[in-house]
Amino acid sequence: MSALRLRRASVVAAGLVVATGLGVAPAAADYGGGGSEDGGASAYVEYAYSHPGSSGTSMTPTGANWPAPTCWYEPAYKPKDFEEYLRAHNYDGSAGADLYEQYFNETDGKYHKGDEGAWWELTVDLDREDLSCAQEYEPYQFIGPDFPQPPDVEVFDAEMLAMFAYERIKLPAPPVDLKPGADRQIVNLETLASFGQDLEPAWVTASIDYLGVQLAATTVATPSRLTLSADSAHADPAECSYELVAAGGGYTVDTEDAACNITYRKSSGEGTYDLQALLTWEVAWNPSADPAGTPTTALPDGQSANDIPVTVKEIQTVVR
């Protein structure tokens, strides 16, 4: 196989802001430069974020992982630009010379000039563990209406954009308020929980408009369930889960009338107990730049968590 230009997968973001019907104020992010170290063009991907979605911690998938691919083809050159690129790197004994000879001969020196389509470049994400695919595929493929993509090879598409968007979603910690407060829990008194603010869906849109390739995908994470877990053998029950309730454009919870509420049976003494608040987010994507678009495919749920130290005291009573 000819020499392959390995490079860390990079994206260019132009700060696209998308208006939505989710009642979320979008915030643009991810400004930056693109292109590889030797000047070759790279596909341009724009990311738009909701808030939440641009701040917090990265979403942790539950169950099966859904990783972005290691190797894929992305649009890189028009035929004329591809020829100029190879000629510019046609040095004796160089990797560029090997590529020049390979593609010059394979296309009879025409580089698909006059054909509808573009030269797509094999891109390798060096952050992945298994890079064997980098040795299996040709560094460039011409793809167009009359030149289909190679079989069994990842090619930039809407689903891949959804993968990249999934990996970029950031989720807030559960904004849980306790009653009584975390620093004044009482033995044998139920621990009630509510949100200090309504939670809104978090989304990321990834889109590309480059060399005739126009694609978009929006991945949306919607909060659905709160689980409270007491790290104490003296809690009864030790865990309770609550479905969130839609409220306007967001989601909320209030456990005052719930059938399950954690109750501590023993004081924490001079220390504290750890109460974990875990939020489950249902995730799906649609092949558009509209966060309010109809979801087409469900993805692995996401999670965000918050560990709350609680102080539990006994109330002293006087019996006469």
Side-chain angles (χ1 to χ4, degrees), residues 97-159:
D98 293 339
L99 288 174
Y100 177 82
E101 292 298 327
Q102 175 185 357
Y103 290 101
F104 183 90
N105 292 332
E106 286 187 0
T107 62
D108 195 24
K110 296 180 181 179
Y111 300 99
H112 283 281
K113 290 181 180 178
D115 292 331
E116 186 178 353
W119 283 95
W120 290 51
E121 179 182 49
L122 181 62
T123 303
V124 180
D125 187 347
L126 298 180
D127 288 332
R128 303 295 175 182
E129 294 182 2
D130 183 4
L131 301 179
S132 60
C133 56
Q135 305 300 321
E136 298 173 2
Y137 307 130
E138 294 295 333
Y140 296 96
Q141 295 280 351
F142 187 84
I143 300 176
D146 297 326
F147 302 89
Q149 68 188 56
D152 302 323
V153 173
E154 295 278 4
V155 174
F156 219 86
D157 58 12
E159 184 176 15

Side-chain angles (χ1 to χ4, degrees), residues 155-163 206 215-218 285-288:
V155 174
F156 219 86
D157 58 12
E159 184 176 15
M160 192 177 299
L161 288 175
M163 291 180 181
L215 296 168
T218 301
W285 72 277
N286 74 79
S288 78

Side-chain angles (χ1 to χ4, degrees), residues 178-182 184-192 228-239 261-268 272-277 308-315:
L178 299 181
K179 181 181 178 180
R184 54 182 183 276
Q185 289 286 302
I186 299 173
V187 171
N188 293 329
L189 186 64
E190 288 186 337
T191 299
L192 305 181
L228 297 181
S229 299
D231 182 23
S232 171
H234 305 294
D236 178 28
E239 182 175 286
N261 279 306
I262 291 173
T263 302
Y264 291 98
R265 302 303 184 185
K266 184 177 180 180
S267 166
S268 60
T272 59
Y273 296 131
D274 285 332
L275 179 67
Q276 183 188 60
I308 307 170
V310 295
T311 301
V312 182
K313 299 294 186 181
E314 291 184 352
I315 295 179

